[in-house]
Amino acid sequence: MSTIFALSSGAPPAAIAVVRISGANAALALRQLAGRLPVPRRAVTATLRDDTGLDLDRALVLWLPGPHTATGEDCAELHLHGGRAVVAAVERALLTIAGLRRAEPGEFTRRAFLNGKIDLAEAEGLADLLAAETEAQRRSAQAMAGGAFSRRVEDWRLRLLTLSAEVEAGLDFADDDDVASADCSTWNITPLRDELAGWLMRPRAEALREGYRVVLAGPPNAGKSTLFNALVEAEAAITSPLAGTTRDVVSRPVAIAGVPFLFLDTAGLRDDAPDLVERAGVTRARTELERADCVLWLGAPAECPVGAWQIAAQCDRHDHARVTARHRVSALTGEGLDDLRTDLVAAARQALPVPGEAALSERQHRLVSDAERALARTVDMRDPLLVAEELRLARVAFDSLLGRTTTEDMLDALFGRFCIGK
């Protein structure tokens, strides 16, 4: 396997640029650039030179022999001055060394997975951690990357192995006095199944990653776009007294009190839209109503969708209609906006994963569901052979969760989410 290198810190210019090297030729690369191999795991200064003897930089270097490294391979780190020219010169010098090449996106993490330093669930959590933009996202991703879910899956797997051993013993030694009989009622599968069902009922990671979807809806000229701009604190949507100004869905992700939101402004809902473009916008608006976690309804109370929040917008106007509403707001004066934001944050926290707890991705939810269904099928079974097969299928799902059985395509998709140098 070739030795890889990449810039692992932020794009230059910067105070410091960290270049990582991983693979069998990491020691060779360090000797050629620094002239020596430092004491392992001790940072030392060295003058880096290319193959012609030209000075490249005075840097801090680290030699990290495997297997006790992040990737499980021999590694080196070069802590350079963070100018573009310095980084480019060092990278050109590395390319002249036999067996070295630039890393692909996520390749360092992929090698860590292949070398058993992390499992697949931890790698998925790390990908989410790198993409986290809010405190809630960070805490959930940190729990996954830190192995909280992996430890839970390992516990499930060990309990399942114990159950499988009991079933197999019942099949193989049913006539022996020291082994439980092959009576299905003696196998306590239900607690494990109930625990899996509890995890399936939790809010999903996608909701946290995409944000709590809040759709502003109502008839034309109800003040949706003005309120939308106030909530996202930007002139993201065009506002105008003309009906039909908003013709498509306008979305903007924001964080409020560390909670991720996705606000969506929609076309005014009416049945007599005068042209094809506006009618298409109305159709998209109705679609977003179906997908919303929360709908802020700025129309007549009699037309308010079931479960939507009635919002009395434009309450600063002298001709404002007095209606019963969950919130009375004015995007122009700011009246009621703080209360609306507070209410939205409380609702989102109820719907999103609990901060600091691991949340299942779509792939993980599917595999836990596969295991739960396999265990559920054993409830009415009386044939130990069939029970044993269902337990085996559940074990396969657990192994897939941790990456013990997986495909190259899935790994390519996962590690392709990482940046180069990670």
Side-chain angles (χ1 to χ4, degrees):
M1 186 179 291
S2 57
T3 298
I4 56 175
F5 70 88
L7 177 68
S8 291
S9 54
I16 297 173
V18 180
V19 173
R20 302 175 71 194
I21 308 167
S22 180
N25 284 2
L28 172 63
L30 204 51
R31 285 194 186 95
Q32 290 196 208
L33 265 65
R36 61 193 173 98
L37 200 63
V39 175
R41 293 174 174 79
R42 181 179 299 173
V44 300
T45 56
T47 299
L48 305 183
R49 299 181 173 89
D50 65 14
D51 56 354
T52 68
L54 178 68
D55 285 4
L56 301 175
D57 192 27
R58 183 70 173 169
L60 196 67
V61 300
L62 283 150
W63 163 236
L64 307 166
H68 302 299
T69 62
T71 62
E73 303 175 327
D74 287 348
C75 293
E77 288 186 1
L78 311 176
H79 295 235
L80 314 170
H81 291 93
R84 292 189 180 91
V86 173
V87 174
V90 170
E91 289 181 335
R92 284 196 300 271
L94 288 170
L95 285 172
T96 67
I97 300 173
L100 267 69
R101 65 169 175 82
R102 296 182 188 274
E104 298 292 332
E107 193 165 5
F108 287 94
T109 308
R110 185 166 186 159
R111 291 192 177 194
F113 166 71
L114 294 174
N115 291 326
K117 292 298 178 179
I118 58 174
D119 60 41
L120 196 56
E122 291 169 322
E124 289 171 313
L126 183 56
D128 288 339
L129 185 61
L130 294 175
E133 295 183 354
T134 69
E135 179 64 10
Q137 291 169 337
R138 182 196 68 80
R139 292 179 64 183
S140 178
Q142 185 67 57
M144 190 68 75
F149 180 61
S150 299
R151 290 188 290 273
R152 182 59 59 92
V153 174
E154 192 60 43
D155 174 68
W156 292 341
R157 186 174 178 276
L158 290 174
R159 288 159 62 185
L160 193 59
L161 286 171
T162 300
L163 289 168
S164 296
E166 292 176 2
V167 174
E168 297 292 342
L171 285 169
D172 295 341
F173 308 106
D175 294 335
D176 293 357
D177 294 335
D178 59 344
V179 178
S181 68
D183 177 6
C184 299
S185 63
T186 65
W187 302 320
N188 197 13
I189 297 173
T190 300
L192 179 55
R193 178 208 171 184
D194 290 345
E195 190 171 333
L196 298 184
W199 273 78
L200 293 173
M201 293 176 64
R202 291 185 176 194
R204 299 267 291 278
E206 285 79 15
L208 190 60
R209 188 180 304 128
E210 297 169 6
Y212 188 70
R213 297 179 70 90
V214 179
V215 173
L216 284 76
N221 285 354
K224 298 184 298 300
S225 296
T226 304
L227 178 57
F228 174 81
N229 288 342
L231 288 170
V232 303
E233 298 183 341
E235 295 299 316
I238 298 173
T239 59
S240 166
L242 298 176
T245 299
T246 301
R247 295 191 165 205
D248 202 353
V249 177
V250 180
S251 63
R252 180 63 63 91
V254 298
I256 304 176
V259 177
F261 285 87
L262 183 65
F263 286 98
L264 300 102
D265 184 24
T266 60
L269 298 176
R270 57 176 172 172
D271 297 327
D272 59 345
D275 57 63
L276 288 174
V277 175
E278 189 175 347
R279 285 198 290 273
V282 171
T283 298
R284 292 187 179 185
R286 297 190 189 281
T287 299
E288 289 300 337
L289 287 175
E290 298 296 326
R291 299 180 59 200
D293 295 313
C294 177
V295 175
L296 304 184
W297 179 253
L298 279 67
E303 299 172 355
C304 183
V306 176
W309 295 9
Q310 180 72 51
I311 305 296
Q314 303 173 332
C315 68
D316 58 293
R317 292 174 50 169
H318 69 277
D319 59 346
H320 176 70
R322 304 291 295 185
V323 298
T324 301
R326 180 160 178 154
H327 290 279
R328 303 176 63 81
V329 301
S330 168
L332 294 181
T333 67
E335 180 183 344
L337 288 180
D338 286 343
D339 288 341
L340 175 57
R341 291 190 182 99
T342 299
D343 201 1
L344 285 170
V345 168
R349 283 177 172 159
Q350 291 292 323
L352 295 177
V354 176
E357 287 190 359
L360 301 182
S361 68
E362 185 278 332
R363 186 192 77 89
Q364 293 160 348
H365 189 276
R366 173 175 50 81
L367 289 169
V368 173
S369 181
D370 288 346
E372 191 275 336
R373 285 197 299 269
L375 298 184
R377 288 192 293 267
T378 67
V379 172
D380 297 322
M381 286 182 177
R382 293 295 177 264
D383 187 337
L385 283 172
L386 297 178
V387 174
E389 175 60 15
E390 296 298 345
L391 297 183
R392 185 192 68 81
L393 292 175
R395 290 201 307 274
V396 169
F398 291 157
D399 287 343
S400 296
L401 280 168
L402 300 179
R404 292 170 180 166
T405 58
T406 189
T407 66
E408 286 299 312
D409 287 345
M410 192 275 293
L411 294 180
D412 289 343
L414 169 62
F415 293 110
R417 292 174 55 193
F418 288 75
C419 56
I420 294 174
K422 188 59 182 175

